[in-house]
C-alpha cells in the first residue's frame, strides 16, 4: 500500500505574490508554523537542495531531512522529493497553482510510502499529512492575504 493526499486552498492575492512567497525557501520558517529552519545546501539550475528542520514535537524530538525542489513558473508547478527519506520509502510532492476568479488555488499532491520498520503506517501518515496540510495551507493563505492587503493599502495611500 502507498499513501496519497491531495489538498488545496484558494488565496485571495495576486499570482506573483503567492508564487514568490511560497517559493521563498529561506522564508519558510515565517510562512509555515512547523519549520524551525531551512538551510539551502545547493542550487543547480532551477533545483534547490535544502535541509528542513521542524520544531520539536510533543515528545521533544526534532525531525530534520533533506529535500530537493524544482519550480516551473511557466507551468505553475513545483516538483519536490525527499532526498533523505527518514521513515519514508519515498516522498514525492507536486504543488500546482491555478488562477481563479477569486484568487490563486494552491494544490499539494503527495505520494509516499512508509518503510516497513517505520513507527507508523501509510494510513496513519495519510491522515496526519491531510490534517497538517489543511492547517499549514490556512496559515499560509492568511499570511499571504495579509501581505496582499498591506501592499494594496500602501499602493492606495501612495496614489493620494
Amino acid at each position: 500500500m502507498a499513501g496519497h493526499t491531495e489538498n488545496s486552498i484558494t488565496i485571495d492575492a495576486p499570482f506573483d505574490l503567492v508564487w514568490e512567497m511560497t517559493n521563498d525557501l529561506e522564508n519558510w520558517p515565517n510562512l509555515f508554523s512547523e519549520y524551525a529552519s531551512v538551510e539551502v545546501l545547493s542550487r543547480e539550475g532551477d533545483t534547490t537542495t535544502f535541509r528542513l528542520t521542524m520544531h520539536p514535537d510533543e515528545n521533544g524530538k526534532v525531525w530534520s531531512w533533506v529535500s530537493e525542489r524544482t519550480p516551473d513558473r511557466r507551468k505553475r508547478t513545483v516538483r519536490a522529493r525527499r532526498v533523505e527519506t527518514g521513515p519514508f520509502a519515498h516522498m514525492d510532492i507536486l504543488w500546482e497553482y491555478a488562477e481563479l476568479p477569486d484568487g490563486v488555488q494552491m494544490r499539494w499532491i503527495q505520494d509516499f510510502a512508509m518503510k516497513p520498520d517505520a513507527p507508523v503506517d501509510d494510513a496513519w501518515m495519510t491522515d496526519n499529512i491531510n490534517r497538517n496540510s489543511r492547517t499549514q495551507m490556512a496559515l499560509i493563505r492568511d499570511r499571504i492575504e495579509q501581505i496582499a492587503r498591506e501592499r494594496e493599502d500602501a499602493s492606495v495611500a501612495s496614489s493620494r
Side-chain angles (χ1 to χ4, degrees):
M1 186 178 155
H4 174 84
T5 65
E6 293 186 30
N7 290 280
S8 66
I9 197 163
T10 300
I11 303 169
D12 184 13
F15 171 79
D16 287 341
L17 180 62
V18 174
W19 179 266
E20 289 163 22
M21 288 186 69
T22 58
N23 286 290
D24 179 1
L25 293 176
E26 289 88 347
N27 193 48
W28 274 13
N30 298 317
L31 191 61
F32 291 81
S33 65
E34 62 189 343
Y35 299 140
S37 67
V38 176
E39 177 189 4
V40 172
L41 303 173
S42 68
R43 285 193 164 95
E44 292 184 32
D46 292 331
T47 301
T48 302
T49 303
F50 58 100
R51 174 171 295 285
L52 273 175
T53 302
M54 297 182 79
H55 294 288
D57 67 16
E58 62 278 356
N59 299 315
K61 177 153 177 59
V62 174
W63 296 92
S64 181
W65 64 90
V66 173
S67 291
E68 67 179 27
R69 184 175 170 81
T70 306
D72 185 333
R73 188 180 174 112
R74 188 182 57 75
K75 291 183 180 177
R76 298 179 180 210
T77 61
V78 178
R79 294 200 177 274
R81 69 180 187 91
R82 282 193 183 204
V83 176
E84 288 180 4
T85 58
F88 293 92
H90 68 89
M91 167 60 88
D92 300 303
I93 306 169
L94 174 64
W95 291 37
E96 296 178 325
Y97 301 81
E99 287 188 84
L100 304 174
D102 56 344
V104 176
Q105 181 187 59
M106 180 177 67
R107 185 169 166 229
W108 296 345
I109 302 165
Q110 294 172 275
D111 289 296
F112 59 91
M114 304 308 295
K115 290 179 180 172
D117 61 347
V120 299
D121 63 12
D122 293 337
W124 185 94
M125 188 55 72
T126 297
D127 289 342
N128 186 61
I129 289 173
N130 277 326
R131 187 173 41 258
N132 191 54
S133 291
R134 287 188 286 271
T135 298
Q136 294 302 313
M137 287 180 138
L139 184 61
I140 290 166
R141 177 201 59 212
D142 294 348
R143 289 179 173 168
I144 293 174
E145 287 179 354
Q146 178 64 36
I147 296 293
R149 281 191 300 273
E150 289 170 3
R151 288 184 179 181
E152 190 174 296
D153 291 347
S155 176
V156 168
S158 69
S159 67
R160 290 184 180 161

